[in-house]
mmCIF file of all heavy atoms in Angstrom:
data_model
loop_
_atom_site.group_PDB
_atom_site.id
_atom_site.type_symbol
_atom_site.label_atom_id
_atom_site.label_comp_id
_atom_site.label_asym_id
_atom_site.label_seq_id
_atom_site.Cartn_x
_atom_site.Cartn_y
_atom_site.Cartn_z
ATOM 1 N N SER A 201 12.435 115.280 66.595
ATOM 2 C CA SER A 201 12.094 116.625 66.820
ATOM 3 C C SER A 201 10.706 117.010 66.370
ATOM 4 O O SER A 201 10.267 118.151 66.325
ATOM 5 C CB SER A 201 13.100 117.590 66.007
ATOM 6 O OG SER A 201 13.105 117.398 64.638
ATOM 7 N N ARG A 202 9.992 115.971 65.908
ATOM 8 C CA ARG A 202 8.558 116.099 65.469
ATOM 9 C C ARG A 202 8.476 116.929 64.172
ATOM 10 O O ARG A 202 7.436 117.633 63.990
ATOM 11 C CB ARG A 202 7.692 116.733 66.570
ATOM 12 C CG ARG A 202 7.325 115.767 67.731
ATOM 13 C CD ARG A 202 6.705 116.532 68.822
ATOM 14 N NE ARG A 202 7.681 116.979 69.750
ATOM 15 C CZ ARG A 202 7.427 117.843 70.827
ATOM 16 N NH1 ARG A 202 6.256 118.329 70.955
ATOM 17 N NH2 ARG A 202 8.373 118.230 71.625
ATOM 18 N N HIS A 203 9.473 116.794 63.359
ATOM 19 C CA HIS A 203 9.447 117.426 62.039
ATOM 20 C C HIS A 203 9.544 116.476 60.908
ATOM 21 O O HIS A 203 9.939 116.882 59.803
ATOM 22 C CB HIS A 203 10.619 118.448 61.973
ATOM 23 C CG HIS A 203 10.404 119.694 62.779
ATOM 24 N ND1 HIS A 203 11.209 120.015 63.827
ATOM 25 C CD2 HIS A 203 9.544 120.679 62.687
ATOM 26 C CE1 HIS A 203 10.790 121.213 64.386
ATOM 27 N NE2 HIS A 203 9.787 121.557 63.724
ATOM 28 N N GLN A 204 9.216 115.275 61.107
ATOM 29 C CA GLN A 204 9.218 114.259 60.061
ATOM 30 C C GLN A 204 7.959 114.374 59.189
ATOM 31 O O GLN A 204 6.887 114.572 59.692
ATOM 32 C CB GLN A 204 9.278 112.900 60.710
ATOM 33 C CG GLN A 204 9.493 111.704 59.640
ATOM 34 C CD GLN A 204 9.407 110.362 60.217
ATOM 35 O OE1 GLN A 204 8.569 110.109 61.213
ATOM 36 N NE2 GLN A 204 10.192 109.467 59.846
ATOM 37 N N ALA A 205 8.171 114.342 57.908
ATOM 38 C CA ALA A 205 6.918 114.312 57.080
ATOM 39 C C ALA A 205 6.083 113.189 57.318
ATOM 40 O O ALA A 205 6.491 112.011 57.413
ATOM 41 C CB ALA A 205 7.334 114.410 55.587
ATOM 42 N N ASN A 206 4.851 113.389 57.364
ATOM 43 C CA ASN A 206 3.796 112.262 57.577
ATOM 44 C C ASN A 206 2.513 112.570 56.919
ATOM 45 O O ASN A 206 2.302 113.724 56.570
ATOM 46 C CB ASN A 206 3.547 111.998 59.104
ATOM 47 C CG ASN A 206 2.904 113.102 59.739
ATOM 48 O OD1 ASN A 206 2.849 114.363 59.342
ATOM 49 N ND2 ASN A 206 2.223 112.794 60.899
ATOM 50 N N GLU A 207 1.699 111.540 56.680
ATOM 51 C CA GLU A 207 0.440 111.621 56.040
ATOM 52 C C GLU A 207 -0.563 110.943 56.907
ATOM 53 O O GLU A 207 -0.917 109.779 56.816
ATOM 54 C CB GLU A 207 0.476 110.985 54.702
ATOM 55 C CG GLU A 207 1.393 111.693 53.700
ATOM 56 C CD GLU A 207 1.318 111.027 52.298
ATOM 57 O OE1 GLU A 207 0.562 110.033 52.102
ATOM 58 O OE2 GLU A 207 1.960 111.518 51.353
ATOM 59 N N PRO A 208 -1.123 111.710 57.934
ATOM 60 C CA PRO A 208 -2.036 111.038 58.856
ATOM 61 C C PRO A 208 -3.353 110.703 58.190
ATOM 62 O O PRO A 208 -3.824 111.431 57.273
ATOM 63 C CB PRO A 208 -2.241 112.117 59.931
ATOM 64 C CG PRO A 208 -1.898 113.459 59.229
ATOM 65 C CD PRO A 208 -0.808 113.133 58.196
ATOM 66 N N ARG A 209 -3.947 109.611 58.614
ATOM 67 C CA ARG A 209 -5.267 109.200 58.133
ATOM 68 C C ARG A 209 -5.990 108.444 59.248
ATOM 69 O O ARG A 209 -5.330 108.063 60.200
ATOM 70 C CB ARG A 209 -5.146 108.423 56.896
ATOM 71 C CG ARG A 209 -4.387 107.062 57.110
ATOM 72 C CD ARG A 209 -3.951 106.414 55.786
ATOM 73 N NE ARG A 209 -2.848 107.149 55.207
ATOM 74 C CZ ARG A 209 -2.260 106.782 54.095
ATOM 75 N NH1 ARG A 209 -2.582 105.690 53.487
ATOM 76 N NH2 ARG A 209 -1.307 107.462 53.582
ATOM 77 N N LEU A 210 -7.234 108.107 59.038
ATOM 78 C CA LEU A 210 -7.983 107.351 60.018
ATOM 79 C C LEU A 210 -7.521 105.908 59.887
ATOM 80 O O LEU A 210 -7.600 105.306 58.851
ATOM 81 C CB LEU A 210 -9.526 107.482 59.747
ATOM 82 C CG LEU A 210 -10.369 106.868 60.850
ATOM 83 C CD1 LEU A 210 -10.250 107.572 62.159
ATOM 84 C CD2 LEU A 210 -11.797 106.845 60.473
ATOM 85 N N LEU A 211 -7.018 105.377 61.059
ATOM 86 C CA LEU A 211 -6.504 104.026 61.061
ATOM 87 C C LEU A 211 -7.265 103.092 61.995
ATOM 88 O O LEU A 211 -7.693 103.483 63.053
ATOM 89 C CB LEU A 211 -5.034 103.998 61.459
ATOM 90 C CG LEU A 211 -3.952 104.632 60.536
ATOM 91 C CD1 LEU A 211 -2.518 104.450 61.139
ATOM 92 C CD2 LEU A 211 -3.968 103.948 59.173
ATOM 93 N N ASP A 212 -7.343 101.833 61.623
ATOM 94 C CA ASP A 212 -7.730 100.815 62.532
ATOM 95 C C ASP A 212 -6.380 100.215 62.980
ATOM 96 O O ASP A 212 -5.677 99.541 62.295
ATOM 97 C CB ASP A 212 -8.472 99.677 61.791
ATOM 98 C CG ASP A 212 -8.826 98.467 62.708
ATOM 99 O OD1 ASP A 212 -8.144 98.234 63.709
ATOM 100 O OD2 ASP A 212 -9.867 97.818 62.381
ATOM 101 N N LEU A 213 -5.988 100.510 64.326
ATOM 102 C CA LEU A 213 -4.688 100.070 64.851
ATOM 103 C C LEU A 213 -4.437 98.610 64.766
ATOM 104 O O LEU A 213 -3.405 98.193 64.386
ATOM 105 C CB LEU A 213 -4.549 100.599 66.236
ATOM 106 C CG LEU A 213 -3.177 100.338 66.926
ATOM 107 C CD1 LEU A 213 -2.040 100.945 66.124
ATOM 108 C CD2 LEU A 213 -3.160 100.935 68.396
ATOM 109 N N ASN A 214 -5.477 97.850 65.004
ATOM 110 C CA ASN A 214 -5.316 96.433 64.984
ATOM 111 C C ASN A 214 -5.028 95.884 63.622
ATOM 112 O O ASN A 214 -4.149 95.077 63.428
ATOM 113 C CB ASN A 214 -6.633 95.675 65.549
ATOM 114 C CG ASN A 214 -6.850 95.931 66.991
ATOM 115 O OD1 ASN A 214 -6.033 96.361 67.739
ATOM 116 N ND2 ASN A 214 -8.113 95.671 67.451
ATOM 117 N N ALA A 215 -5.682 96.467 62.625
ATOM 118 C CA ALA A 215 -5.434 95.961 61.265
ATOM 119 C C ALA A 215 -4.029 96.424 60.787
ATOM 120 O O ALA A 215 -3.329 95.674 60.117
ATOM 121 C CB ALA A 215 -6.502 96.592 60.296
ATOM 122 N N THR A 216 -3.610 97.600 61.204
ATOM 123 C CA THR A 216 -2.282 98.086 60.872
ATOM 124 C C THR A 216 -1.180 97.200 61.472
ATOM 125 O O THR A 216 -0.209 96.847 60.796
ATOM 126 C CB THR A 216 -2.098 99.519 61.405
ATOM 127 O OG1 THR A 216 -3.104 100.409 60.849
ATOM 128 C CG2 THR A 216 -0.724 100.149 60.952
ATOM 129 N N LEU A 217 -1.358 96.858 62.714
ATOM 130 C CA LEU A 217 -0.357 95.935 63.361
ATOM 131 C C LEU A 217 -0.388 94.508 62.697
ATOM 132 O O LEU A 217 0.652 93.974 62.612
ATOM 133 C CB LEU A 217 -0.749 95.764 64.877
ATOM 134 C CG LEU A 217 -0.582 97.080 65.737
ATOM 135 C CD1 LEU A 217 -1.099 96.872 67.083
ATOM 136 C CD2 LEU A 217 0.869 97.465 65.768
ATOM 137 N N ALA A 218 -1.539 94.091 62.435
ATOM 138 C CA ALA A 218 -1.698 92.697 61.767
ATOM 139 C C ALA A 218 -0.928 92.655 60.443
ATOM 140 O O ALA A 218 -0.403 91.601 60.020
ATOM 141 C CB ALA A 218 -3.097 92.295 61.624
ATOM 142 N N HIS A 219 -0.969 93.812 59.757
ATOM 143 C CA HIS A 219 -0.316 93.914 58.471
ATOM 144 C C HIS A 219 1.131 93.642 58.416
ATOM 145 O O HIS A 219 1.799 93.112 57.592
ATOM 146 C CB HIS A 219 -0.663 95.225 57.774
ATOM 147 C CG HIS A 219 -0.168 95.386 56.401
ATOM 148 N ND1 HIS A 219 1.031 95.957 56.021
ATOM 149 C CD2 HIS A 219 -0.760 94.887 55.212
ATOM 150 C CE1 HIS A 219 1.151 95.942 54.724
ATOM 151 N NE2 HIS A 219 0.069 95.343 54.185
#
Side-chain angles (χ1 to χ4, degrees):
S201 64
R202 285 171 269 168
H203 286 115
Q204 186 185 41
N206 68 334
E207 295 183 358
R209 64 194 71 179
L210 187 66
L211 290 182
D212 178 334
L213 182 58
N214 292 346
T216 303
L217 294 172
H219 186 263

